[in-house]
Every structure is written in structure tokens, then in C-alpha cells.
Amino acid sequence: MTIQLKTPEEIAAMRVAGRLASEVLDFIAPHVRPGITTGELDRLCHDYMVDVQRTIPAPLNYAPPGYTPFPKSICTSVNHQVCHGIPGNRVLKSGDIVNLDITVIKDGFHGDTSRMFCVGDPSIAARRLCEVTFRAMWLGIEQVRPGATLGDIGHAIQRFAEGSGFSIVREFCGHGIGRRFHEEPQILHYGRPGTGERLEPGMIFTIEPMVNAGKRDIRELGDGWTIVTRDHSLSAQWEHTVLVTESGFDVLTVSEGCPARPSLASAA
Ligand code: MF3
Ligand code: CO
Ligand code: CO
């Protein structure tokens, strides 16, 4: 396996793309309210990316081998939808939880990040799923340093999510990212400490755990993209793009409005 190490120039460009992706989420956050459709959220984000940022929405017409082109500019995954939800005429209602996944291309480089949003007033169980998933992502990020392994990242995420009574989706994973949307390596969100590839400074990849309230099994809808939980339990996901530095990690998908790293004091 050849994991490409980014040059200082490439890292600088990835920082810009990462910040821009996060700023799309800052922009859309106040719009995520009962009554709006996922299609309207897509349109607002699309116009912001294209007209304000001058970025390219990477999902639009993205077609990996075996897939039909993705028809929209962002992914909107509501409640039991795990990932890759296609925006459309679904109206968000109070109590929904929704993941908005943004990938922009700026000057040829990708930034990829997603957050969970509470619509109106979700149940305590739904909120807890979102919070545990956020913390699981961060526990994975905090493993990142030269010499750590991919298994260390996966294990930290799996241990916390399963220890909280939830399950980890196995079929989708984080990924290297750069000039291409999905590069090597694959970042599994489960695993054993000390196993797998060793991290080196200059690697850039995403960490994006999908956590189900019920069983880990998933199913793809007839649209060829949307992934849902088989048991219809709620699912949550958070995503950051992360750089391996000489001393640890640097999160590239940061902006004014991005939720802060959880403090140790708030550990559940
Ligand atoms: N943004 C997703 C990821 O984190 C990929 C979405 S592919 C799309 O890897 F085509 F559905 F947009
Ligand atoms: Co990603
Ligand atoms: Co993404």
C-alpha cells in the first residue's frame, strides 16, 4: 500500500479546502429548522459553495465504480439514514436528527467534514447518540501521531461507541484525501490496538464514524446511494479531515462555528 505523504504546499492547500468545507456547515446551521426540506438545504449550500466560496461541491455527479452519479451537492442523512442520503422534498420536523456531509474542492484539493444537527427538540436518546458519536470521533482523532497505527484509531472509536451500548457500521470507513476525494488508506472505525499501517507525518485522512443506536447491520435503498439501518434504529455520524504532524495531529476542517473538542472534564 502506498499512502501519499503531502508536501508543505499541498498541506497549505488542504488547510484552505478544510476550512471552507467547515464554513459551509457554519453557513447552513441556522437554516436547519423544522419545515425546511433537505433539497432546500442542498440548494442553499450549493449556491454558497459555487457563488460565494468559488468552491466545487465534490458530491455532485460523483460516480465511483459501480455507482450512478450522485445527483446533489451535499449528503443529508436523516434519523435511521446512516450516510449518503440524497437531498429531496423530505421536510425536516422537530425531533429529527440529520447529518449534513460537505465536501468542497478548492484549487484542486478536497476538504470533507460532517456534523449532526438536532431539528427542534429530539429525544434524550437521540441527543445522546449524537454526543457519543462526536466523542467517539474525537477519541479516534486523539490517537493520531507518528508511530500510532490505524488499528489504534479504530479501537478507540469502537471501544467507546460499543461501551456506550451502540454499534459501529463496518461497511463504510474514513479515507485518505487530497487531490482525490477518496484515497488510501482506509480508516476503519473498529480494530485492534497496534495493528495495521503506521502513521507518518504528512498523511491526511478523514475520521468519520457511523454509530447506530441498534444493530450495526445496514441496507442500501433503491436509489443506489442512501444507506439505512436494517433495524430502523437511529444512526449518527461526524467527520473531520485530519493531518498527521511531527508531534500529533492537526484538524484541517475547522472554522468559527465548528463544535469544540470535548474536554476531559465532560467525559461520560
Ligand atoms: N462525503 C462522503 C465521505 O465522507 C462521501 C459522499 S459520496 C457522495 O466520504 F457521492 F455521496 F457524495
Ligand atoms: Co469522507
Ligand atoms: Co464526508
PDB file of all heavy atoms in Angstrom, residues 84 101-103 112-113 173-177 181-182 206-208 237 239-241, ligand 2:
ATOM      1  N   HIS A  84     -24.919   9.112   3.019  1.00  0.00           N
ATOM      2  CA  HIS A  84     -25.170   9.251   1.576  1.00  0.00           C
ATOM      3  C   HIS A  84     -26.636   9.501   1.243  1.00  0.00           C
ATOM      4  O   HIS A  84     -27.092   9.178   0.139  1.00  0.00           O
ATOM      5  CB  HIS A  84     -24.663   8.017   0.802  1.00  0.00           C
ATOM      6  CG  HIS A  84     -23.205   7.735   1.029  1.00  0.00           C
ATOM      7  ND1 HIS A  84     -22.603   6.554   0.668  1.00  0.00           N
ATOM      8  CD2 HIS A  84     -22.222   8.503   1.565  1.00  0.00           C
ATOM      9  CE1 HIS A  84     -21.319   6.590   0.995  1.00  0.00           C
ATOM     10  NE2 HIS A  84     -21.062   7.769   1.544  1.00  0.00           N
ATOM     11  N   ASP A 101     -23.244  16.337   5.258  1.00  0.00           N
ATOM     12  CA  ASP A 101     -21.869  15.986   4.892  1.00  0.00           C
ATOM     13  C   ASP A 101     -21.455  16.834   3.697  1.00  0.00           C
ATOM     14  O   ASP A 101     -22.083  16.778   2.637  1.00  0.00           O
ATOM     15  CB  ASP A 101     -21.781  14.490   4.576  1.00  0.00           C
ATOM     16  CG  ASP A 101     -20.342  13.994   4.501  1.00  0.00           C
ATOM     17  OD1 ASP A 101     -19.412  14.809   4.324  1.00  0.00           O
ATOM     18  OD2 ASP A 101     -20.156  12.759   4.608  1.00  0.00           O
ATOM     19  N   ILE A 102     -20.405  17.627   3.907  1.00  0.00           N
ATOM     20  CA  ILE A 102     -19.967  18.611   2.925  1.00  0.00           C
ATOM     21  C   ILE A 102     -18.570  18.248   2.430  1.00  0.00           C
ATOM     22  O   ILE A 102     -17.651  18.059   3.239  1.00  0.00           O
ATOM     23  CB  ILE A 102     -19.878  20.019   3.569  1.00  0.00           C
ATOM     24  CG1 ILE A 102     -21.201  20.420   4.221  1.00  0.00           C
ATOM     25  CG2 ILE A 102     -19.379  21.041   2.542  1.00  0.00           C
ATOM     26  CD1 ILE A 102     -22.337  20.673   3.268  1.00  0.00           C
ATOM     27  N   THR A 103     -18.400  18.191   1.125  1.00  0.00           N
ATOM     28  CA  THR A 103     -17.050  18.061   0.564  1.00  0.00           C
ATOM     29  C   THR A 103     -16.885  19.101  -0.527  1.00  0.00           C
ATOM     30  O   THR A 103     -17.652  19.121  -1.498  1.00  0.00           O
ATOM     31  CB  THR A 103     -16.808  16.654  -0.008  1.00  0.00           C
ATOM     32  OG1 THR A 103     -17.217  15.687   0.956  1.00  0.00           O
ATOM     33  CG2 THR A 103     -15.332  16.453  -0.340  1.00  0.00           C
ATOM     34  N   ASP A 112     -13.355  17.629   3.582  1.00  0.00           N
ATOM     35  CA  ASP A 112     -14.511  16.750   3.801  1.00  0.00           C
ATOM     36  C   ASP A 112     -14.861  16.754   5.288  1.00  0.00           C
ATOM     37  O   ASP A 112     -14.026  16.385   6.126  1.00  0.00           O
ATOM     38  CB  ASP A 112     -14.108  15.346   3.321  1.00  0.00           C
ATOM     39  CG  ASP A 112     -15.237  14.334   3.287  1.00  0.00           C
ATOM     40  OD1 ASP A 112     -16.396  14.706   3.499  1.00  0.00           O
ATOM     41  OD2 ASP A 112     -14.930  13.152   3.021  1.00  0.00           O
ATOM     42  N   THR A 113     -16.074  17.177   5.625  1.00  0.00           N
ATOM     43  CA  THR A 113     -16.474  17.230   7.043  1.00  0.00           C
ATOM     44  C   THR A 113     -17.978  17.088   7.163  1.00  0.00           C
ATOM     45  O   THR A 113     -18.728  17.497   6.270  1.00  0.00           O
ATOM     46  CB  THR A 113     -15.997  18.544   7.708  1.00  0.00           C
ATOM     47  OG1 THR A 113     -16.295  18.519   9.100  1.00  0.00           O
ATOM     48  CG2 THR A 113     -16.662  19.769   7.080  1.00  0.00           C
ATOM     49  N   CYS A 173     -15.986   3.649   5.746  1.00  0.00           N
ATOM     50  CA  CYS A 173     -14.852   3.998   6.593  1.00  0.00           C
ATOM     51  C   CYS A 173     -14.332   5.382   6.217  1.00  0.00           C
ATOM     52  O   CYS A 173     -14.767   5.980   5.229  1.00  0.00           O
ATOM     53  CB  CYS A 173     -13.756   2.948   6.423  1.00  0.00           C
ATOM     54  SG  CYS A 173     -13.262   2.705   4.718  1.00  0.00           S
ATOM     55  N   GLY A 174     -13.398   5.898   7.020  1.00  0.00           N
ATOM     56  CA  GLY A 174     -12.689   7.107   6.648  1.00  0.00           C
ATOM     57  C   GLY A 174     -11.699   6.784   5.535  1.00  0.00           C
ATOM     58  O   GLY A 174     -11.528   5.616   5.162  1.00  0.00           O
ATOM     59  N   HIS A 175     -11.024   7.811   5.041  1.00  0.00           N
ATOM     60  CA  HIS A 175     -10.233   7.645   3.817  1.00  0.00           C
ATOM     61  C   HIS A 175      -9.168   8.718   3.705  1.00  0.00           C
ATOM     62  O   HIS A 175      -9.368   9.849   4.163  1.00  0.00           O
ATOM     63  CB  HIS A 175     -11.163   7.722   2.610  1.00  0.00           C
ATOM     64  CG  HIS A 175     -12.084   8.919   2.634  1.00  0.00           C
ATOM     65  ND1 HIS A 175     -11.756  10.116   2.039  1.00  0.00           N
ATOM     66  CD2 HIS A 175     -13.295   9.116   3.229  1.00  0.00           C
ATOM     67  CE1 HIS A 175     -12.728  10.988   2.260  1.00  0.00           C
ATOM     68  NE2 HIS A 175     -13.673  10.421   2.990  1.00  0.00           N
ATOM     69  N   GLY A 176      -8.065   8.355   3.055  1.00  0.00           N
ATOM     70  CA  GLY A 176      -7.121   9.371   2.632  1.00  0.00           C
ATOM     71  C   GLY A 176      -7.822  10.342   1.713  1.00  0.00           C
ATOM     72  O   GLY A 176      -8.837  10.012   1.082  1.00  0.00           O
ATOM     73  N   ILE A 177      -7.301  11.574   1.648  1.00  0.00           N
ATOM     74  CA  ILE A 177      -7.964  12.613   0.854  1.00  0.00           C
ATOM     75  C   ILE A 177      -6.918  13.619   0.421  1.00  0.00           C
ATOM     76  O   ILE A 177      -5.937  13.854   1.131  1.00  0.00           O
ATOM     77  CB  ILE A 177      -9.112  13.259   1.682  1.00  0.00           C
ATOM     78  CG1 ILE A 177      -9.859  14.312   0.861  1.00  0.00           C
ATOM     79  CG2 ILE A 177      -8.597  13.853   3.004  1.00  0.00           C
ATOM     80  CD1 ILE A 177     -11.181  14.746   1.509  1.00  0.00           C
ATOM     81  N   PHE A 181     -10.951  12.605  -3.938  1.00  0.00           N
ATOM     82  CA  PHE A 181     -11.953  12.566  -2.865  1.00  0.00           C
ATOM     83  C   PHE A 181     -11.616  11.406  -1.914  1.00  0.00           C
ATOM     84  O   PHE A 181     -11.541  11.579  -0.698  1.00  0.00           O
ATOM     85  CB  PHE A 181     -13.336  12.372  -3.522  1.00  0.00           C
ATOM     86  CG  PHE A 181     -14.545  12.682  -2.681  1.00  0.00           C
ATOM     87  CD1 PHE A 181     -15.773  12.933  -3.305  1.00  0.00           C
ATOM     88  CD2 PHE A 181     -14.501  12.712  -1.299  1.00  0.00           C
ATOM     89  CE1 PHE A 181     -16.912  13.214  -2.567  1.00  0.00           C
ATOM     90  CE2 PHE A 181     -15.639  12.987  -0.540  1.00  0.00           C
ATOM     91  CZ  PHE A 181     -16.846  13.231  -1.178  1.00  0.00           C
ATOM     92  N   HIS A 182     -11.420  10.224  -2.494  1.00  0.00           N
ATOM     93  CA  HIS A 182     -11.151   9.034  -1.679  1.00  0.00           C
ATOM     94  C   HIS A 182      -9.824   8.424  -2.103  1.00  0.00           C
ATOM     95  O   HIS A 182      -9.691   7.937  -3.216  1.00  0.00           O
ATOM     96  CB  HIS A 182     -12.302   8.031  -1.803  1.00  0.00           C
ATOM     97  CG  HIS A 182     -13.594   8.545  -1.226  1.00  0.00           C
ATOM     98  ND1 HIS A 182     -14.618   9.031  -1.995  1.00  0.00           N
ATOM     99  CD2 HIS A 182     -13.998   8.687   0.056  1.00  0.00           C
ATOM    100  CE1 HIS A 182     -15.610   9.435  -1.205  1.00  0.00           C
ATOM    101  NE2 HIS A 182     -15.258   9.236   0.041  1.00  0.00           N
ATOM    102  N   THR A 206      -9.566  11.253   6.592  1.00  0.00           N
ATOM    103  CA  THR A 206     -10.767  11.585   7.360  1.00  0.00           C
ATOM    104  C   THR A 206     -10.992  10.534   8.438  1.00  0.00           C
ATOM    105  O   THR A 206     -10.588   9.380   8.304  1.00  0.00           O
ATOM    106  CB  THR A 206     -12.028  11.646   6.482  1.00  0.00           C
ATOM    107  OG1 THR A 206     -12.385  10.313   6.092  1.00  0.00           O
ATOM    108  CG2 THR A 206     -11.812  12.510   5.250  1.00  0.00           C
ATOM    109  N   ILE A 207     -11.649  10.963   9.508  1.00  0.00           N
ATOM    110  CA  ILE A 207     -12.169  10.052  10.532  1.00  0.00           C
ATOM    111  C   ILE A 207     -13.648  10.382  10.621  1.00  0.00           C
ATOM    112  O   ILE A 207     -14.019  11.534  10.868  1.00  0.00           O
ATOM    113  CB  ILE A 207     -11.442  10.262  11.879  1.00  0.00           C
ATOM    114  CG1 ILE A 207      -9.946   9.924  11.713  1.00  0.00           C
ATOM    115  CG2 ILE A 207     -12.094   9.410  12.974  1.00  0.00           C
ATOM    116  CD1 ILE A 207      -9.118  10.087  12.991  1.00  0.00           C
ATOM    117  N   GLU A 208     -14.515   9.396  10.362  1.00  0.00           N
ATOM    118  CA  GLU A 208     -15.942   9.677  10.179  1.00  0.00           C
ATOM    119  C   GLU A 208     -16.834   8.531  10.643  1.00  0.00           C
ATOM    120  O   GLU A 208     -17.572   7.948   9.848  1.00  0.00           O
ATOM    121  CB  GLU A 208     -16.214  10.026   8.717  1.00  0.00           C
ATOM    122  CG  GLU A 208     -15.637   9.059   7.682  1.00  0.00           C
ATOM    123  CD  GLU A 208     -15.994   9.472   6.251  1.00  0.00           C
ATOM    124  OE1 GLU A 208     -17.194   9.573   5.963  1.00  0.00           O
ATOM    125  OE2 GLU A 208     -15.074   9.684   5.448  1.00  0.00           O
ATOM    126  N   GLN A 237     -23.380  10.358  12.654  1.00  0.00           N
ATOM    127  CA  GLN A 237     -22.028  10.401  12.080  1.00  0.00           C
ATOM    128  C   GLN A 237     -21.447  11.805  12.240  1.00  0.00           C
ATOM    129  O   GLN A 237     -22.174  12.802  12.103  1.00  0.00           O
ATOM    130  CB  GLN A 237     -22.047  10.043  10.589  1.00  0.00           C
ATOM    131  CG  GLN A 237     -20.669  10.107   9.939  1.00  0.00           C
ATOM    132  CD  GLN A 237     -20.666   9.719   8.468  1.00  0.00           C
ATOM    133  OE1 GLN A 237     -21.655   9.897   7.767  1.00  0.00           O
ATOM    134  NE2 GLN A 237     -19.557   9.177   8.004  1.00  0.00           N
ATOM    135  N   GLU A 239     -17.614  13.884  11.052  1.00  0.00           N
ATOM    136  CA  GLU A 239     -16.412  13.700  10.220  1.00  0.00           C
ATOM    137  C   GLU A 239     -15.515  14.925  10.277  1.00  0.00           C
ATOM    138  O   GLU A 239     -15.982  16.059  10.141  1.00  0.00           O
ATOM    139  CB  GLU A 239     -16.830  13.456   8.759  1.00  0.00           C
ATOM    140  CG  GLU A 239     -15.641  13.371   7.790  1.00  0.00           C
ATOM    141  CD  GLU A 239     -16.042  13.022   6.367  1.00  0.00           C
ATOM    142  OE1 GLU A 239     -17.200  13.307   5.971  1.00  0.00           O
ATOM    143  OE2 GLU A 239     -15.192  12.463   5.647  1.00  0.00           O
ATOM    144  N   HIS A 240     -14.214  14.666  10.442  1.00  0.00           N
ATOM    145  CA  HIS A 240     -13.181  15.683  10.275  1.00  0.00           C
ATOM    146  C   HIS A 240     -12.116  15.156   9.325  1.00  0.00           C
ATOM    147  O   HIS A 240     -11.904  13.939   9.223  1.00  0.00           O
ATOM    148  CB  HIS A 240     -12.502  16.019  11.604  1.00  0.00           C
ATOM    149  CG  HIS A 240     -13.131  17.160  12.357  1.00  0.00           C
ATOM    150  ND1 HIS A 240     -13.463  18.358  11.762  1.00  0.00           N
ATOM    151  CD2 HIS A 240     -13.463  17.279  13.669  1.00  0.00           C
ATOM    152  CE1 HIS A 240     -13.976  19.174  12.682  1.00  0.00           C
ATOM    153  NE2 HIS A 240     -14.001  18.549  13.840  1.00  0.00           N
ATOM    154  N   THR A 241     -11.419  16.091   8.659  1.00  0.00           N
ATOM    155  CA  THR A 241     -10.215  15.783   7.882  1.00  0.00           C
ATOM    156  C   THR A 241      -9.012  16.150   8.746  1.00  0.00           C
ATOM    157  O   THR A 241      -8.954  17.263   9.275  1.00  0.00           O
ATOM    158  CB  THR A 241     -10.204  16.587   6.559  1.00  0.00           C
ATOM    159  OG1 THR A 241     -11.356  16.230   5.778  1.00  0.00           O
ATOM    160  CG2 THR A 241      -8.942  16.310   5.763  1.00  0.00           C
TER     161      THR A 241
HETATM  162 CO    CO B   2     -15.219  11.351   3.995  1.00  0.00          CO
END
